[in-house]
Amino acid sequence: MRIDAFNKVSQLYQQNSTQKVMKSNAVSKRDRVEISQLGKDIQVAKQVVAQAPDIRQDKVNEIKQRMASGKYNVSTEEIADKMIKDFFE
């Protein structure tokens, strides 16, 4: 690139000229943040989920009792179908 060409281009865009900045005497407003109702609802839902236990002990105990009594039957076909469904989704 030629330097003289750069000077001509910069003159076209007036990069060398300066502009005065006027100071404003007006009082500026303060920034403000407002959270929407949806955002508040999501926050409440997150708190409820965080407080919920990871393991539903009542369901675990029910299945244990059914297994011990021999009333808990697992269909291998259903398990295979769910595994294939989960794999392809």
Side-chain angles (χ1 to χ4, degrees):
M1 175 182 201
R2 292 185 351 220
I3 294 175
D4 61 330
F6 176 75
N7 290 336
K8 289 178 183 179
V9 170
S10 67
Q11 287 174 358
L12 286 174
Y13 287 103
Q14 299 176 353
Q15 290 182 348
N16 294 336
S17 67
T18 58
Q19 296 178 358
K20 276 191 170 179
V21 177
M22 297 232 173
K23 291 186 178 181
S24 175
N25 291 334
V27 177
S28 62
K29 293 184 179 180
R30 295 183 135 205
D31 289 338
R32 179 175 89 154
V33 175
E34 187 174 320
I35 300 173
S36 68
Q37 186 60 42
L38 177 63
K40 291 176 186 177
D41 293 343
I42 290 172
Q43 185 64 29
V44 169
K46 282 184 179 181
Q47 290 173 351
V48 169
V49 168
Q51 293 174 355
D54 290 337
I55 299 172
R56 294 176 55 189
Q57 198 60 42
D58 57 332
K59 292 286 186 181
V60 172
N61 291 338
E62 177 187 340
I63 292 172
K64 282 183 178 181
Q65 288 175 356
R66 288 174 57 194
M67 287 173 68
S69 67
K71 294 180 182 179
Y72 186 72
N73 297 322
V74 179
S75 170
T76 55
E77 291 177 2
E78 288 180 17
I79 292 174
D81 288 340
K82 288 182 181 181
M83 288 174 67
I84 291 171
K85 181 182 173 186
D86 288 344
F87 179 76
F88 286 111
E89 284 184 355

